[in-house]
Amino acid sequence: MRQKLKTSVIGSYPIYIDTLDVIKDYFSEQQTSWTKYIDQAVHDMTSAGINFVSDGQTRDPFIQLFTRNLRGCRIRDRTEILGPVQYTGPITEPDQKYAKRLLPRNTGLIGVLTGPYTLMKSSLDFFYHDEKQLAFDFAAALRNEAELLLKHVDLISIDEPFFSNELPDYAKELIGTITNGLSRPTRLHVCGDVSRIIPQLVDMPVDILSHEFKASPYLFDLFREYSSVKKMCVGAVRSDDVIVETVEEIVTHVKKAITIFGDTVVQIAPDCGQRMLPRDIAFLKLQNLVKAGEIINGG
Amino acid sequence: MFSFTKEQKVFDISGISVGGQPGMHPTVLFGGLFFKGEPDFDDAKQHLQTIFDLSKQTGTPVIPDFFVRKVEYIQPIIAFIEKVIPKKHPFSLDIIEPSIKIETLELLAEKKLLSRTIYNSIHIGITKEETEALQKYTPELAIIVAFNPKDTSPDGKIEVLENGAHLTECGLLELVRKIGIEKLLIDTAALAPGENSGAAIAALPVIKEEYGFPAGCAIHNVVEKSRWLNDFPFAKKTVDAASNNAIPLFGGDFAIFGPIENAPLVIPLMAWQDILVSEYTENYFGVSPVASHPRRKLLK
């Protein structure tokens, strides 16, 4: 009998930040608190019945979330690299700790890290003039954060969308810098068209691969010959389309994935972070994902 | 003391100039009225007379900054401004609630006062309705509060001006351009001690070098928030007034100095500071003070 499928998110969740409220706090000399936004994100995910949730990444877009807290980085319009990138202390850990307290029993928490290659490619480098060295310094910093997260989260997920644009020849070593020897399962999420890099992806030092199979169903056929190599998180609802997939549509999609990947399909999720969707749509998509998961699992 | 490589903008509002290279124009002071809410017009009238007299005596420009806390105060405060503030003098309106801001803008337009109005302020909390009202009833000059809840450093202040720190649809500078306000002052958003309070001062030269816009802040708020100073009541008043000196010393152009009651202490103190800055910047950078500068008025 196959292991039950788990439902998961990828990372971000759309929460409206009430900036008038934020500025009123400033004028009344109160410090800005982000916990209510984490509350809302986690509440939606857990209400929908998702098995593996995130903190929603409500605080910042996924690049700034990390670069804002690393030495050597400066954010004005974009992230600029002005010195050696170094870890100076917790980045997402306080939010993860807080999110953990909100979870019902048997709900897992994902520690989401923006990948080092994506951080490097999204920054303006005025210091290194050496992409590889900068990427590895980001990776070393993220490794520190990952180790800190281990005691709070159930899964470490690395988000590397830039791999679908270009995969450096040091990609495996780079990801391994973060994942090697970690005591929790690891996942690599690469959205976009990964058709050219599948052999390299299945060789990555992670436990689970996550891709946008819903927006790019042609990936099923391309992955077929590597189908039993890695555990898979199958994108089953789109993150770039406000049309809510029906439960039946999701079930059909996931069953197709199972015919190809068999027992290696361990998670189903949105194709990517849901940040760009309206909140009500994001929620409905998660609800239908959960219902589809229950049907697949024979519930 | 500073001189900037970036060309510095100077904005004029009803005869008061703000901005430019340090030492050129005196620091413009904003004195607050009705902070607690209910307006006391008799008391305000006396204080206004004091600031106009001191301003005339020293050359330090002072602009009254009226807090409007409730809708019912809009009409009487505007009527008071019309009656008491000299016809060619600017005034500032300091309002938090968007609905009160909108109603005030409508009345200012009706009374033809927008050309003397300093709108205090535009920030990340601006609403769609407020933006539309500003497009329709555009004040002559606006103060932009560069408060970034994600990053209190000088860079964070630039981030909120550039892209709203991804909290607003666009950066505050682009927003102001879209509204159609051409004259603007950047308030570097003072924060409490322990929350990077020094960044408001450090950001002054950073903002001016980056954009050339006039910059200043309400550094007095940091003194208010320094609770430990309550054990030193005699020193507290001096510290409160003296805190404003940091603004021209770091190249800033305006100081929102708190209650107008503090004016007799703050105005001469700032005149003294501006003279000091002017002497050095003229000697070293060749920046000559304007004719109305305290150095011209007081050192004869």
Side-chain angles (χ1 to χ4, degrees):
Chain A
M1 192 179 149
R2 74 183 309 279
Q3 207 180 352
K4 288 199 168 183
L5 270 182
K6 300 286 187 187
T7 51
S8 175
V9 294
I10 298 302
S12 67
Y13 191 77
I15 293 296
Y16 168 71
I17 307 298
D18 186 346
T19 52
L20 183 58
D21 209 36
V22 171
I23 202 77
K24 282 182 178 175
D25 280 346
Y26 165 68
F27 286 129
S28 61
E29 304 173 19
Q30 305 293 314
Q31 271 197 299
T32 308
S33 167
W34 230 261
T35 54
K36 65 180 164 194
Y37 304 118
I38 300 173
D39 287 342
Q40 291 170 36
V42 172
H43 175 267
D44 277 17
M45 293 180 213
T46 55
S47 300
I50 294 289
N51 299 126
F52 284 103
V53 307
S54 73
D55 65 357
Q57 296 188 312
T58 60
R59 196 177 280 275
D60 243 335
F62 78 142
I63 301 297
Q64 290 86 341
L65 192 59
F66 288 88
T67 57
R68 196 178 294 287
N69 293 289
L70 291 172
R71 181 172 294 151
C73 302
R74 174 175 89 170
I75 300 174
R76 284 186 166 181
D77 196 5
R78 288 176 60 190
T79 295
E80 300 166 3
I81 308 299
L82 302 181
V85 170
Q86 290 170 340
Y87 187 74
T88 58
I91 300 172
T92 60
E93 193 229 14
D95 286 353
Q96 300 285 7
K97 263 168 84 174
Y98 181 77
K100 184 81 177 172
R101 298 211 314 256
L102 306 172
L103 300 187
R105 284 184 66 184
N106 300 323
T107 299
L109 183 63
I110 310 167
V112 184
L113 303 174
T114 305
Y117 195 69
T118 297
L119 291 177
M120 181 273 288
K121 280 290 183 184
S122 304
S123 304
L124 296 169
D125 176 21
F126 297 117
F127 177 75
Y128 284 82
H129 310 295
D130 179 344
E131 288 197 343
K132 185 176 176 183
Q133 187 58 50
L134 174 54
F136 273 93
D137 279 1
F138 271 129
L142 292 168
R143 169 71 188 206
N144 283 308
E145 180 71 3
E147 286 176 1
L148 205 58
L149 290 177
L150 289 177
K151 54 180 180 280
H152 309 296
V153 305
D154 303 281
L155 171 73
I156 298 281
S157 184
I158 300 168
D159 198 354
E160 274 288 21
F162 271 77
F163 275 180
S164 60
N165 294 341
E166 55 174 12
L167 191 78
D169 55 11
Y170 52 84
K172 183 178 176 182
E173 194 191 343
L174 188 67
I175 296 302
T177 303
I178 304 171
T179 60
N180 289 339
L182 286 184
S183 59
R184 294 280 182 197
T186 54
R187 183 175 78 182
L188 177 65
H189 173 73
V190 184
C191 52
D193 181 4
V194 296
S195 55
R196 291 173 294 110
I197 56 168
I198 294 170
Q200 292 90 337
L201 286 172
V202 295
D203 196 32
M204 285 288 170
V206 293
D207 299 298
I208 304 168
L209 289 178
S210 165
H211 305 296
E212 51 171 52
F213 287 94
K214 185 62 182 166
S216 313
Y218 58 88
L219 289 177
F220 281 139
D221 287 335
L222 297 170
F223 263 97
R224 197 178 291 271
E225 66 177 289
Y226 307 97
S227 60
S228 59
V229 179
K230 270 278 193 274
K231 290 178 183 170
M232 299 298 294
C233 171
V234 172
V237 292
R238 293 185 68 144
S239 299
D240 59 349
D241 191 339
V242 292
I243 295 169
V244 179
E245 295 82 355
T246 64
V247 175
E248 293 72 26
E249 186 184 349
I250 301 169
V251 168
T252 304
H253 179 77
V254 175
K255 279 184 174 171
K256 183 175 180 186
I258 291 170
T259 59
I260 293 166
F261 295 112
D263 285 350
T264 61
V265 179
V266 293
Q267 294 176 355
I268 55 173
D271 266 350
C272 198
Q274 293 185 293
R275 186 185 185 88
M276 301 311 288
L277 292 171
R279 183 177 170 184
D280 57 340
I281 299 291
F283 180 70
L284 289 172
K285 282 178 182 256
L286 292 185
Q287 265 192 328
N288 284 359
L289 186 78
V290 169
K291 286 176 190 163
E294 285 167 355
I295 292 169
I296 303 279
N297 285 333
Chain B
M1 284 167 211
F2 296 87
S3 188
F4 299 101
T5 56
K6 175 90 177 178
E7 189 184 340
Q8 296 297 300
K9 297 174 170 66
V10 178
F11 297 128
D12 179 274
I13 178 158
S14 292
I16 289 182
S17 295
V18 56
Q21 290 289 359
M24 183 184 288
H25 294 282
T27 308
V28 174
L29 302 181
F30 289 79
L33 295 111
F34 313 145
F35 178 79
K36 286 177 182 160
E38 193 166 4
D40 179 341
F41 292 119
D42 290 335
D43 186 58
K45 207 170 169 180
Q46 284 179 24
H47 288 302
L48 286 169
Q49 195 52 55
T50 303
I51 64 164
F52 293 139
D53 290 347
L54 283 170
S55 184
K56 194 174 172 188
Q57 195 180 344
T58 60
T60 293
V62 189
I63 298 173
D65 184 39
F66 294 93
F67 286 83
V68 187
R69 301 286 197 192
K70 290 182 178 175
V71 174
E72 57 262 39
Y73 298 152
I74 299 172
Q75 197 96 30
I77 290 175
I78 301 296
F80 177 75
I81 288 170
E82 270 193 298
K83 193 173 156 195
V84 176
I85 306 292
K87 295 291 175 216
K88 286 189 176 174
H89 200 87
F91 56 89
S92 168
L93 287 164
D94 199 329
I95 310 172
I96 296 171
E97 278 302 327
S99 58
I100 302 177
K101 283 174 152 179
I102 293 166
E103 214 167 302
T104 303
L105 283 169
E106 287 168 0
L107 188 61
L108 288 166
E110 188 187 312
K111 303 277 186 187
K112 301 193 188 323
L113 291 170
L114 285 169
S115 64
R116 293 164 56 199
T117 300
I118 296 172
Y119 190 78
N120 189 4
S121 55
I122 290 172
H123 42 63
I124 56 166
I126 192 166
T127 62
K128 186 170 168 278
E129 294 76 15
E130 184 186 344
T131 305
E132 287 166 0
L134 281 164
Q135 283 167 332
K136 202 169 171 186
Y137 312 113
T138 310
E140 182 73 10
L141 191 149
I143 295 177
I144 314 302
V145 179
F147 170 64
N148 182 349
K150 297 177 179 181
D151 182 354
T152 56
S153 75
D155 295 324
K157 296 171 198 304
I158 288 183
E159 183 188 18
V160 87
L161 295 171
E162 286 292 321
N163 61 26
H166 299 278
L167 291 164
T168 50
E169 277 183 20
C170 62
L172 294 181
L173 293 180
E174 189 185 336
L175 178 80
V176 170
R177 271 194 296 273
K178 282 181 184 168
I179 289 169
I181 298 173
E182 288 172 6
K183 298 177 182 177
L184 49 107
L185 311 181
I186 308 294
D187 178 338
T188 53
L191 287 155
E195 295 173 28
N196 210 358
S197 60
I201 294 297
L204 295 168
V206 177
I207 298 273
K208 280 181 70 75
E209 185 59 34
E210 186 74 13
Y211 300 110
F213 286 125
C217 64
I219 200 68
H220 139 90
N221 288 343
V222 181
V223 182
E224 278 290 299
K225 292 169 196 168
S226 301
R227 310 284 180 225
W228 63 271
L229 269 174
N230 293 338
D231 295 336
F232 306 92
F234 179 67
K236 188 176 179 183
K237 209 171 175 64
T238 308
V239 174
D240 194 341
S243 65
N244 296 292
N245 286 29
I247 293 171
L249 272 178
F250 277 74
D253 306 288
F254 68 93
I256 302 170
F257 70 79
I260 201 162
E261 290 85 339
N262 295 351
L265 193 53
V266 176
I267 294 173
L269 192 144
M270 293 301 279
W272 179 87
Q273 184 64 78
D274 279 338
I275 292 169
L276 190 93
V277 170
S278 167
E279 286 204 322
Y280 184 78
T281 51
E282 182 162 41
N283 279 327
Y284 196 80
F285 299 112
V287 177
S288 296
V290 295
S292 61
H293 194 280
R295 190 169 148 222
R296 301 264 189 241
K297 281 226 165 190
L298 298 169
L299 298 188
K300 290 182 178 162

